[in-house]
Amino acid sequence: MNGVAAKRAMRALIRGNGVLIGGMLAVWGCSGGSSNPPPPPPPPGNVSVAVSPQRTGATLSQTINLTATVTNDVGAAGVSWSATGGTLSGKTLTAASFSSSSTGSFTITATSNADNSKTATATIGVTDLTGVLTAQNDVQRTGQNLHEFAMTPANVGSATFGKLYSCSVTENGTVPGHVYAQPLYVANLTMSDSKKHNVLYVATESDFVYAFDADANPCQQLWKANLLSAAYGANSGETTIPAADTGEADDLHPEIGATSTPAIDLSTNTMYLCAKSKESNATYHARLHAIDLVTGAEKAGSPVDVSFTGFDPLIEAQRPALLLSGNNVYLGFGSHGDNNSYHGYLVGYDKATLAQTFEWAATDTSVGSSKGGIWQAGAGPAVDSAGDIWVEIANGDFDGSLSFGDSVVRVNPAAASPVADFFTPKDQDTLRQNDIDLGSGGVTILPDGLGSATQPHLAIATGKTNLLYLLDQSNLGQFSSSADNVIQEVTLPNGLNESAVTGGMFSKAAYFNGRIYVAAISDVIRAFSVGNAMLTAVTTTGAHTFGYPGATPSISGQGSSNGIVWLLDTTNNNSVNGSGTAGPAQLFAYDAGTMNLLYSSPTSGTGAAATAVKFTVPTIANGKVYVGGEGAITVFGLLP
């Protein structure tokens, strides 16, 4: 192209909004003859991704539905999903479902398709916990759930953990619904709606029992049982027992119904519990119920009245948690506030037929009131590897033959003489006179491997004396007026108590990973390492001081790691021995290793638990903590 032609071509290109590049013609579009190009599209804003829930727990094969939200998502490109394990299904640009057939902590990642440098994650802890089927998790009464993969010391704090919701048990305000019994939990149970649920079971002093979906927020009631109705063996007009009828109106009040923690048998889907009631003609009942876990109906042959010579269902308090051991279910009885003429009893029933199979009195029944109740602040009888049953006996007569007041007793229900062994403190008579029960706590059977070559099998007992008794399971030491023949006695910092009726421990020890944990009245949470048949105090303690009645710890962990000690301060209960001011129970969480405080619930406001009742123990399962109180179950957990 010569020079003149080139100039003409350039002028033509300019008039046509074109560009000649390397001999190629590029043309701008034009409209209305404008010679200015349109502005380029605005650059995308800062992309961000969020996933909900951000943290939670799941049982094996339980499905967790996840939702992703992308801010400034130009073109609604959505996200791509990935996981460190388990199975992701139903993946869309905004949602996915996660499940796992193996335990562990899994991370699910949502990555923006518009900007793959932007991601968000969710953490799901998957547990193989089949259930919390008895008080303190096991019949050794260790208090530990070693299958908690959702909650760890790293994620239990005020920013990530708190109150999720609560479930009322007041029947729309028509009953008090106080929950003294520890809530129980069953995983992956197919209920009457043909759907699988994790189920929470709650018994109340108003003689109602409830099955709730353990995860549903708001609460989903799966069934309820009114134990005062004909369907549950009651006669027309039956009520709960007014507390004043017992002579002790400031203990369990205002009514007495189902007080103790039930026991669950998963092999038959049966829950066993004891409930008290009163007929209009002042006939009193203590009934043992066997209730179907799925439907809430009574099992065949249920309920049965607890009835044997000398037993009075009004004055005998069924306070200890029920024990399911072998083919039998066992109930312990004591008194309501030391009133009336009573004895302590341990009674067994065939779990299939509910026929009575065993009866043992802790004191001589030929003596009008030899006392010796079994109440243990609600703790259940414990069982060792041989199948022997361990109970603590409260203040009462002692002779080492028929009467075992203020003693730890190992009972063999199959033997003609059930008392296999016992320990009684040298100051038993002083304890008896001053109402300083050894039986205000309970026995913890420690795992093998913590003892010595000569004393390999250990147990821990506690009581009002404010002492920890380390016992040799094979030789409890019996009684000597000059010395306590036990492996070791540890006096807690408030000193030996032989005179204060509400002193020492109204609680018992829990065990985890080579340590025991205790919280006495007017003391902090303390840990003691156990090794070579010796207790050694851990220097670090909690900072919060627990009032009456102290606290029985619950433990969560992943095997021997990530241990958390959970306790309830129930000082603001409505009993005469409490603070005098009704207020919420306060939940505490401590790192089991460092003893650092991880979380404490507020004492007022929407984040607080229900009004406290004494002796309650929290239940930990699948990323949640369940707390009983006056008229409600409060559910704490990882904030989603």
Side-chain angles (χ1 to χ4, degrees), residues 471-491:
L471 305 173
D472 180 351
Q473 291 184 32
S474 302
N475 181 9
L476 295 185
Q478 298 82 54
F479 172 74
S480 168
S481 60
S482 59
D484 290 343
N485 297 319
V486 298
I487 298 175
Q488 184 186 8
E489 286 181 355
V490 174
T491 305

Side-chain angles (χ1 to χ4, degrees), residues 165-172 177 179 181 183-189 191 193 195-204 208-225 264 271 292-296 621-622 624 626-629 631-635:
Y165 57 96
S166 64
C167 301
S168 173
V169 289
T170 66
E171 293 300 298
N172 296 315
V179 182
L184 299 181
Y185 171 93
V186 174
N188 300 321
L189 189 61
M191 300 297 283
D193 60 2
K195 298 178 181 178
K196 276 190 175 182
H197 299 263
N198 299 321
V199 187
L200 189 74
Y201 295 94
V202 180
T204 78
F208 280 84
V209 184
Y210 301 85
F212 293 105
D213 185 295
D215 304 312
N217 181 9
C219 294
Q220 179 186 357
Q221 186 184 111
L222 300 171
W223 57 252
K224 71 178 177 183
I264 288 175
M271 176 171 56
D292 190 290
L293 292 178
V294 174
T295 65
N622 192 27
K624 296 181 178 65
Y626 302 93
V627 176
I633 290 291
T634 308
V635 184

Side-chain angles (χ1 to χ4, degrees), residues 306-546:
V306 177
S307 178
F308 51 87
T309 301
F311 179 82
D312 187 328
L314 169 62
I315 67 173
E316 294 284 345
Q318 204 288 290
R319 186 65 190 94
L322 273 64
L323 167 67
L324 186 62
S325 181
N327 293 320
N328 295 281
V329 56
Y330 295 90
L331 293 79
F333 290 90
S335 73
H336 294 281
D338 274 351
N339 291 288
N340 304 300
S341 177
Y342 70 92
H343 304 277
Y345 293 102
L346 183 66
V347 190
Y349 293 83
D350 184 283
K351 71 175 187 177
T353 66
L354 298 190
Q356 186 178 326
T357 58
F358 178 73
E359 174 196 334
W360 175 71
T363 53
D364 187 354
T365 57
S366 69
V367 178
S369 182
S370 49
K371 300 185 178 181
I374 303 172
W375 66 281
Q376 302 190 159
V383 178
D384 62 26
S385 58
D388 287 351
I389 299 173
W390 296 60
V391 289
E392 288 192 8
I393 312 303
N395 58 296
D397 291 355
F398 171 78
D399 61 15
S401 176
L402 294 176
S403 297
F404 294 90
D406 296 295
S407 300
V408 176
V409 182
R410 178 164 61 87
V411 177
N412 179 354
S417 299
V419 177
D421 202 356
F422 68 93
F423 160 67
T424 309
K426 64 181 184 296
D427 54 351
Q428 186 278 331
D429 194 51
T430 300
L431 305 182
R432 177 189 62 82
Q433 294 181 54
N434 296 337
D435 190 12
I436 309 301
D437 307 356
L438 181 61
S440 67
V443 176
T444 306
I445 303 297
L446 296 177
D448 288 343
L450 302 176
S452 64
T454 57
Q455 294 169 317
H457 310 297
L458 307 177
I460 291 282
T462 61
K464 292 184 184 179
T465 58
N466 207 42
L467 302 179
L468 306 178
Y469 301 94
L470 185 62
L471 305 173
D472 180 351
Q473 291 184 32
S474 302
N475 181 9
L476 295 185
Q478 298 82 54
F479 172 74
S480 168
S481 60
S482 59
D484 290 343
N485 297 319
V486 298
I487 298 175
Q488 184 186 8
E489 286 181 355
V490 174
T491 305
L492 294 173
N494 288 333
L496 172 66
N497 175 40
E498 292 182 318
S499 59
V501 174
T502 56
M505 290 188 67
F506 281 60
S507 56
K508 64 177 294 296
Y511 171 82
F512 173 73
N513 196 29
R515 288 182 174 182
I516 65 161
Y517 300 85
V518 295
I521 296 170
S522 300
D523 200 6
V524 298
I525 175 70
R526 297 183 183 277
F528 294 82
S529 61
V530 191
N532 196 28
M534 184 66 64
L535 295 173
T536 304
V538 174
T539 303
T540 54
T541 69
H544 177 78
T545 299
F546 291 82

Side-chain angles (χ1 to χ4, degrees), residues 135 177-184 200-205 208-209 252 257-263 271-274 318-322 378 568 613-619 626-629 632-633:
H178 294 185
V179 182
Y180 283 80
Q182 181 180 344
L184 299 181
L200 189 74
Y201 295 94
V202 180
T204 78
E205 291 284 13
F208 280 84
V209 184
L252 305 172
T259 305
S260 63
T261 302
M271 176 171 56
Y272 300 92
L273 73 149
C274 183
Q318 204 288 290
R319 186 65 190 94
L322 273 64
L568 290 175
V613 297
K614 62 182 180 179
F615 308 135
T616 49
V617 178
T619 296
Y626 302 93
V627 176
I633 290 291

Side-chain angles (χ1 to χ4, degrees), residues 585-621:
Q586 190 173 13
L587 176 65
F588 288 86
Y590 289 90
D591 187 305
T594 65
M595 299 299 290
N596 289 335
L597 177 65
L598 303 173
Y599 174 81
S600 60
S601 65
T603 56
S604 62
T606 58
T611 300
V613 297
K614 62 182 180 179
F615 308 135
T616 49
V617 178
T619 296
I620 296 92

